[in-house]
Amino acid sequence: MSKLTDLLRQVERNDPQLAADLEREYKALSSRRAFGLNFERHYPESTEIPGRTVRKGEKVRVLPPRGSRAAGDKTLWVVQDIERVDGGRVAHLVEHGAETPATQIANVDDLVVVSVFRDFIYPGLVSTGKVERGGDKPFHTVINGENYHALKTLTYTHEGKIDAIYIDPPYNTGAKDWKYNNDYVEGDDLYRHSKWLAFMERRLLLAKQLLNPKQSILIVTIDEKEYLRLGLLLEQVFDEADIQMVTSAINPKGSPRSDAFSRVEEYLYFVSIGTAAPARVTQDMLSSKAEPEKRVEWVGLRRRGSGWQREARPFLFYPIYVEPSTARIVDAGEPLPLGVSRETVPDREGLQTIWPLNSNGQESRWQMSPQSLMGLVKDGFVRTSVQKRGGFTLDYLSSGQRQQIKDGIMKVVGRDPNGAVIVEHPGVRLQVAKTVWNMPSHDATTFGSRLLSNMMPDRRFPFPKSLYAIEDALRFYVKDKPEAVVLDFFAGSGTAAHAVMRLNRQDNGRRQCISVTNNEVGAEEQKGLRNQGLRPGDPEWEQWGICDYITKPRLEAAVTGNTPQGDSIKGDYKFIDEFPISEGLQENVEFFALTYETRTKVKHHLAFRQIAPLLWLRAGARGECIKDIPEAGWALTKAYGVLVDLDVSTAFVEAVKAASNIGMVYIVTNDTRRSQSVAQRLPAGVEVVRLYESYLQNFQIRNGG
């Protein structure tokens, strides 16, 4: 209806009487009540894309002069032509969609491209950095871009493959917390709720395409402003799913509301797709005092309590030799008498020597003799984990824990890559969680804001979620999926990705999280930047955006254990597993910016470098990405291969057969017959994708408002 209102205003210019008649009928229709959730779709939603190249045919807006804080001209223009004038570039513009369009000329530097969501897009990704500490684990990915466009991009790489989506969308409080068509939606906007629903519906429809239809979960958090409308919207979009709402106390001190009760809670909708159901857990989530948890306890091999010094037990000071690539303990050396420097003990070729040194470099001691240690290593009762600076932390199962294994109380269910046993504690009583959660670990102030402040002392982010609240919510559905793919397309500070990393550490999982966020600068910060003559797209502006200033450095800090300034992060992780945050996490993360390519450029094989990360993502985001067109005509990584020259297809096919773990192959050709011929010679189970037909077809079909 809001679109009809706009059209009526246009009709009124030429025929006031016709406009009046139409408006009378419109009011009669709009007064009728429809059954269910009724809202305007507000077509077309659009967004400004600072930094996108202005090309002929693009829709654009003219930016206000530098230094101006005015809203600027909202007229939508189409670039008819671009020419060089006096060393610069000027664009000839024509008004978009007008019956008698106006024209004007503007400097290209004063234009910003506008993407209307019903238009076709041909997306790509450009890497903006990465951090690697996870060995051969899949990469977590962060995409800086408009989340609707990013979701459309993921329909090419992950349709039906997402196991869990966790989102914390804008709560539509009336504050400047979200934008529609590049304008903040104010509290007095008559269409505020309708715009929010239209905004959410478009993204939820794409999310539905991405979720695994056989078994997956969508988790959406919300507060009292929109929870009723959100519930109805979820019922309409996911009409075959099971939906349940949970109430969670996240602010024990309470958040004051004018002339109302002080709020301590928010809500979580769990939308269960297919056979998805919450796992039973040891905590019912409501009881203020949890049942004592029986769990496997690994003890540090280096002595940390009283008598930790080398002098206290000299015969327990000896070197341990670890094979670096596998992190396996190979041998233990002889104890070193007091007075003999460890520097006199030579390293062994190909091995890393580990001495019992504390964090200050002081000589400590091990908890057991070399002979006892190697006996436990043989049985798998000693495990190694890589430290952030390349060393190793050594832990072992105490005699009490080993006795429980012998007695059958605890069960060995496998071995980790380093040879250590993986143990479960069947004695724990599992129970169904309740729909009201009252967990101290979900306090957003202590374990959201303060935790983030410890990780990035010089930066602030409004209302981050408790790390452990998201961790708990996801655990119900990915606990038994060690290779689950999780998506968060309102990533904010990156808490969901951080939570997935924590879950991996707890069970040696290989889960990966795809995080999507834009690089929006806060409303207050924008004022100061505009006063400096800056505009969106300027590097000095973009450096303060949420992705570059918060999300990216937060996840780098989580992995490395260091603040953005390079200092060790203070404090410990709590609850399920407690260890210093400064140890970091053994994970890989790569950061990308969403790009917008042209169909012609893609079709003529001129955008391979931008499309390449999508191929890597679709193949599982494992190992190296084939970033450039292979000079040899083909290339392979650990997970996938690319063939660009069919004349060398025989060598390519033989290489795929000889390799292991190749699950996907991309063939760049317009020749369907030859492509099929290559596919028939490849091993069974290898998925073959023809470029760029599959890519172009996806973004033609998937288009929509």
Side-chain angles (χ1 to χ4, degrees):
M1 292 296 185
S2 62
K3 181 63 175 176
L4 284 175
T5 303
D6 294 338
L7 294 172
L8 283 171
R9 299 289 77 82
Q10 294 180 32
V11 172
E12 191 174 23
R13 298 173 191 169
N14 300 317
D15 192 335
Q17 183 56 51
L18 176 60
D21 293 342
L22 289 171
E23 187 165 15
R24 183 175 61 255
E25 296 302 319
Y26 156 67
K27 287 181 177 179
L29 286 171
S30 62
S31 66
R32 300 178 186 174
R33 288 186 175 272
F35 181 77
L37 187 62
N38 187 26
F39 62 95
E40 310 300 338
R41 262 60 186 192
H42 297 276
Y43 287 115
E45 189 176 341
S46 63
T47 187
E48 294 180 2
I49 310 175
R52 178 173 170 180
T53 302
V54 177
R55 305 183 180 101
K56 183 178 178 180
E58 296 274 21
K59 298 181 181 70
V60 298
R61 287 197 182 110
V62 181
L63 293 168
R66 289 188 179 274
S68 170
R69 290 170 61 177
D73 181 10
K74 294 300 179 183
T75 304
L76 198 61
W77 304 87
V78 177
V79 179
Q80 293 291 94
D81 194 17
I82 296 176
E83 64 176 340
R84 292 196 173 276
V85 176
D86 297 331
R89 294 194 307 153
V90 298
H92 295 262
L93 309 176
V94 61
E95 187 178 1
H96 175 68
E99 186 174 337
T100 55
T103 61
Q104 71 162 308
I105 296 175
N107 288 324
V108 170
D109 291 344
D110 291 330
L111 302 178
V112 60
V113 175
V114 177
S115 176
V116 180
F117 284 9
R118 65 187 176 195
D119 293 345
F120 294 125
I121 66 163
Y122 301 98
L125 295 174
V126 172
S127 177
T128 60
K130 60 183 174 180
V131 55
E132 296 180 79
R133 293 190 67 219
D136 66 349
K137 283 185 177 181
F139 278 73
H140 305 279
T141 53
V142 178
I143 299 174
N144 175 5
E146 208 295 319
N147 64 1
Y148 179 81
H149 290 156
L151 287 170
K152 288 180 71 174
T153 302
L154 293 173
T155 62
Y156 181 65
T157 62
H158 285 81
E159 184 172 14
K161 296 180 181 179
I162 300 295
D163 297 294
I165 294 178
Y166 176 97
I167 54 172
D168 181 31
Y171 284 6
N172 203 17
T173 61
K176 292 186 176 181
D177 61 337
W178 72 290
K179 287 184 174 183
Y180 193 90
N181 285 349
N182 215 59
D183 288 326
Y184 284 109
V185 180
E186 306 287 353
D188 59 356
D189 189 322
L190 294 178
Y191 288 104
R192 176 162 64 95
H193 299 296
S194 179
K195 287 178 179 177
W196 187 86
L197 287 166
F199 171 89
M200 289 297 299
E201 183 187 47
R202 293 190 186 104
R203 289 152 180 81
L204 290 174
L205 287 169
L206 289 174
K208 186 176 182 179
Q209 290 179 217
L210 298 174
L211 287 163
N212 184 337
K214 295 181 179 179
Q215 186 184 80
S216 57
I217 187 71
L218 166 67
I219 306 170
V220 190
T221 63
I222 201 69
D223 73 357
E224 77 274 18
K225 301 293 191 303
E226 294 289 1
Y227 82 101
L228 291 170
R229 296 177 186 85
L230 176 62
L232 285 171
L233 179 62
L234 292 171
E235 292 277 4
Q236 290 182 186
V237 174
F238 299 92
D239 54 338
E240 296 182 357
D242 293 324
I243 302 176
Q244 194 167 21
M245 190 181 80
V246 164
T247 300
S248 177
I250 64 164
N251 185 7
K253 293 182 179 180
S255 178
R257 298 286 195 268
S258 179
D259 300 321
F261 297 111
S262 179
R263 296 195 67 87
V264 300
E265 86 282 11
E266 68 175 9
Y267 310 106
L268 297 90
Y269 279 103
F270 288 84
V271 182
S272 300
I273 311 295
T275 60
R280 291 175 177 260
V281 290
T282 59
Q283 165 66 280
D284 68 9
M285 307 298 284
L286 173 63
S287 304
S288 58
K289 189 174 182 180
E291 176 183 332
E293 183 182 357
K294 301 173 184 177
R295 59 180 183 174
V296 181
E297 298 283 355
W298 290 84
V299 182
L301 184 62
R302 180 175 61 81
R303 179 76 177 184
R304 286 172 170 79
S306 59
W308 61 268
Q309 300 91 339
R310 172 184 178 180
E311 293 79 6
R313 304 285 290 274
F315 58 90
L316 296 182
F317 184 79
Y318 55 87
I320 297 175
Y321 300 100
V322 176
E323 206 285 312
S325 63
T326 62
R328 288 177 179 268
I329 296 175
V330 175
D331 197 8
E334 292 298 318
L336 206 61
L338 279 175
V340 178
S341 170
R342 66 179 189 275
E343 302 296 334
T344 63
V345 179
D347 293 329
R348 298 187 185 180
E349 185 177 356
L351 302 178
Q352 187 166 336
T353 307
I354 310 297
W355 293 95
L357 307 178
N358 66 17
S359 58
N360 295 323
Q362 297 170 298
E363 293 181 341
S364 180
R365 66 176 179 85
W366 302 118
Q367 299 266 39
M368 64 190 69
S369 68
Q371 295 77 18
S372 298
L373 170 67
M374 294 311 296
L376 293 183
V377 169
K378 180 181 178 182
D379 294 334
F381 295 147
V382 180
R383 71 178 183 184
T384 58
S385 55
V386 183
Q387 295 176 340
K388 62 179 180 178
R389 293 183 176 85
F392 296 92
T393 297
L394 309 180
D395 302 293
Y396 72 102
L397 286 177
S398 67
S399 58
Q401 299 276 283
R402 300 197 299 272
Q403 186 62 45
Q404 289 190 55
I405 293 174
K406 184 177 180 180
D407 294 340
I409 299 173
M410 296 197 304
K411 182 181 179 182
V412 175
V413 295
R415 299 246 181 170
D416 70 16
N418 303 328
V421 294
I422 299 173
V423 185
E424 286 184 352
H425 205 311
V428 176
R429 184 177 69 87
L430 300 178
Q431 54 190 310
V432 177
K434 293 181 167 60
T435 56
V436 176
W437 295 358
N438 184 29
M439 302 289 289
S441 59
H442 293 189
D443 181 348
T445 299
T446 304
F447 303 113
S449 299
R450 291 178 187 169
L451 173 66
L452 200 60
S453 180
N454 285 345
M455 298 177 71
M456 300 187 295
D458 63 328
R459 308 178 191 210
R460 296 292 179 269
F461 179 78
F463 312 117
K465 287 284 185 288
S466 163
L467 172 64
Y468 310 109
I470 299 181
E471 187 179 311
D472 286 346
L474 288 171
R475 185 182 291 106
F476 282 109
Y477 293 90
V478 301
K479 176 179 179 290
D480 298 322
K481 293 182 177 181
E483 297 195 10
V485 180
V486 179
L487 170 64
D488 176 7
F489 54 89
F490 288 100
S493 68
T495 310
H498 195 169
V500 172
M501 295 179 193
R502 284 254 311 162
L503 290 170
N504 281 346
R505 188 185 191 276
Q506 291 158 22
D507 62 3
N508 295 306
R510 295 170 60 87
R511 302 172 187 86
Q512 54 182 298
C513 184
I514 302 170
S515 304
V516 179
T517 184
N518 58 29
N519 206 39
E520 182 71 26
V521 176
E524 290 303 314
E525 290 81 359
Q526 286 189 28
K527 294 177 182 177
L529 294 173
R530 291 188 189 279
N531 287 338
Q532 298 174 41
L534 298 172
R535 295 190 300 208
D538 294 337
E540 299 87 351
W541 177 292
E542 297 298 322
Q543 67 180 341
W544 301 104
I546 182 174
C547 184
D548 289 347
Y549 192 63
I550 299 293
T551 319
K552 184 176 179 179
R554 188 258 179 88
L555 295 181
E556 288 175 338
V559 173
T560 64
N562 293 327
T563 68
Q565 291 75 34
D567 301 320
S568 293
I569 299 172
K570 297 178 181 178
D572 297 335
Y573 287 115
K574 303 295 183 182
F575 310 108
I576 296 295
D577 53 342
E578 301 188 9
F579 62 97
I581 301 174
S582 61
E583 285 187 11
L585 296 162
Q586 310 304 309
E587 300 289 336
N588 303 315
V589 189
E590 187 154 7
F591 306 93
F592 296 95
L594 188 68
T595 68
Y596 297 84
E597 308 305 319
T598 66
R599 178 182 175 86
T600 301
K601 190 175 177 182
V602 172
K603 188 175 181 180
H604 289 89
H605 198 33
L606 299 175
F608 182 84
R609 193 168 181 83
Q610 290 76 30
I611 304 299
L614 300 182
L615 311 183
W616 174 77
L617 273 174
R618 183 165 173 162
R622 295 184 291 117
E624 290 298 316
C625 173
I626 302 171
K627 297 178 180 179
D628 297 298
I629 298 173
E631 292 183 5
W634 62 271
L636 289 182
T637 68
K638 292 182 179 179
Y640 73 105
V642 174
L643 174 64
V644 299
D645 182 358
L646 269 66
D647 289 338
V648 295
S649 61
T650 299
F652 176 72
V653 169
E654 293 303 316
V656 172
K657 290 179 178 178
S660 60
N661 301 321
I662 299 295
M664 186 167 290
V665 159
Y666 301 95
I667 302 176
V668 182
T669 180
N670 291 323
D671 190 326
T672 304
R673 182 185 60 79
R674 293 187 69 189
S675 173
Q676 292 174 344
S677 174
V678 175
Q680 290 170 359
R681 289 183 284 151
L682 289 167
V686 175
E687 181 181 351
V688 178
V689 179
R690 185 157 68 90
L691 297 177
Y692 293 94
E693 180 189 53
S694 66
Y695 171 93
L696 293 171
Q697 186 179 44
N698 182 83
F699 292 108
Q700 290 282 112
I701 293 174
R702 300 299 174 198
N703 176 62

